[in-house]
Amino acid sequence: MIRETMLMCLRCTGKCLCCVRHAGYSYSGRAAAYAFGNIDPSNIKRVFLLGPSHHYYTPKCALSTATVYKTPIGDLPIDLEVNEQLKATGKFETMDIRVDEAEHSMEMHLPYLAKVFEGHPVKIVPILVGAVSAENEAMYGQILAQFVDDPTNFFSISSDFCHWGSRFNYMHYDKKHGPIYKSIEALDKMGMDIIETGDPDSFKKYLSEFDNTICGRHPISVFLHMLMNCSSKIKVKFLRYEQSSQCHSTRDSSVSYASAAAKVDDSSSS
């Protein structure tokens, strides 16, 4: 089974945010590395990890009940104080431990984070983003925006791009781009260009028009609302794009992977 993922990395004078794929490492590990490689761990104390829910339905965002996430290369303690702060808003639910263990979208990021922050004290705040409405995407973005302005915080956003083929029930094809895989690339890059503008409304319109099978659409939308509501001017740039295979016929299938980094736009302060 292909497990998909994307990473977004925000990097701004010590604070970071990244958007990364969450597929199996053999499929998308290289794409993810382009984003995680942007992280400077020296001044980061906390990582917020936002990922979509693949197995559990909730119209809200959910927090972990665990105290630590263990990986083969190091443990990542959960920031219980920030968890309580978020719970106090009354807008978050908590994940059952079985839901937490079954979800791979955030899990696939953990070894990268454990390696990058090896030797550096860091805590994580996992947030499972459910099938939230557009209004709630904006609301969660407003709640989390305060943390973006803290230079000791880092945000890792887990997603993927197009799942194409009959197995995914999605076969959009615009022949003007040539082969199917080129049409997929054009569709994905249209979405990537919109994400780079930082406009959540434009991203929502893109999804409504093309229904691109981006499983992390809700975490990405929350992220875009965070950037709209924080004090810093953030610029997003995609670093890498790949497909698991090239589709040439309707019998083929593929999953797209992308990684991006976001950083403070220094030119805006002049």
Side-chain angles (χ1 to χ4, degrees):
M1 174 182 176
I2 294 177
R3 297 174 104 186
E4 66 289 346
T5 189
M6 158 185 141
L7 169 74
M8 254 179 206
C9 176
L10 178 80
R11 173 94 169 91
C12 31
T13 59
K15 69 182 135 180
C16 296
L17 188 153
C18 59
C19 183
V20 184
R21 85 319 165 258
H22 53 242
Y25 301 121
S26 62
Y27 294 101
S28 59
R30 180 172 59 180
Y34 275 82
F36 285 114
N38 278 267
I39 301 172
D40 177 0
S42 57
N43 297 314
I44 296 171
K45 297 179 179 179
R46 186 182 299 110
V47 176
F48 289 78
L49 181 54
L50 277 66
S53 179
H54 287 83
H55 311 291
Y56 171 70
Y57 173 78
T58 175
K60 297 182 177 182
C61 286
L63 303 169
S64 178
T65 58
T67 58
V68 63
Y69 277 177
K70 293 180 178 293
T71 84
I73 55 176
D75 297 344
L76 296 165
I78 289 175
D79 194 321
L80 302 179
E81 183 178 341
V82 172
N83 259 14
E84 290 302 318
Q85 184 179 345
L86 294 176
K87 285 181 190 175
T89 65
K91 303 299 183 181
F92 293 80
E93 64 178 65
T94 54
M95 285 183 272
D96 182 273
I97 193 66
R98 291 170 295 180
V99 172
D100 204 345
E101 290 177 342
E103 181 53 60
H104 66 272
S105 66
M106 295 184 288
E107 177 187 11
M108 301 301 287
H109 286 208
L110 300 180
Y112 290 99
L113 294 172
K115 183 62 178 177
V116 168
F117 288 96
E118 189 173 18
H120 298 271
V122 68
K123 294 182 178 181
I124 62 172
V125 184
I127 301 176
L128 184 72
V129 182
V132 296
S133 65
E135 293 76 17
N136 282 343
E137 288 172 348
M139 179 266 292
Y140 285 115
Q142 290 172 350
I143 291 174
L144 294 170
Q146 61 180 306
F147 298 102
V148 176
D149 288 317
D150 183 343
T152 65
N153 289 334
F154 172 88
F155 285 78
S156 184
I157 313 299
S158 178
S159 182
D160 63 334
F161 272 88
C162 185
H163 298 60
W164 196 95
S166 59
R167 61 184 291 205
F168 301 118
N169 198 30
Y170 186 77
M171 301 180 74
H172 171 86
Y173 177 36
D174 188 340
K175 293 182 179 180
K176 74 181 181 183
H177 296 293
I180 294 173
Y181 72 91
K182 284 293 187 181
S183 173
I184 296 170
E185 180 178 351
L187 177 67
D188 282 335
K189 292 199 170 179
M190 186 189 310
M192 292 158 65
D193 288 344
I194 290 171
I195 291 171
E196 286 186 345
T197 70
D199 184 353
D201 292 333
S202 295
F203 184 57
K204 188 65 67 179
K205 290 177 182 176
Y206 163 79
L207 293 172
S208 177
E209 181 176 355
F210 296 101
D211 200 27
N212 194 358
T213 44
I214 301 173
C215 75
R217 59 180 61 193
H218 296 301
I220 293 172
S221 293
V222 170
F223 155 66
L224 294 177
H225 282 288
M226 286 163 46
L227 299 192
M228 280 189 63
N229 286 279
C230 69
S231 299
S232 306
K233 176 66 176 177
I234 308 295
K235 185 173 180 61
V236 181
K237 180 68 176 177
F238 276 86
L239 307 172
R240 185 77 176 181
Y241 175 79
E242 298 180 2
Q243 296 175 358
S244 62
S245 61
Q246 291 186 346
C247 294
H248 293 274
S249 77
T250 55
R251 296 184 300 274
D252 298 331
S253 64
S254 73
V255 178
S256 304
Y257 313 116
S259 58
K263 62 176 69 177
V264 167
D265 185 1
D266 295 325
S267 63
S268 64
S269 60
S270 57

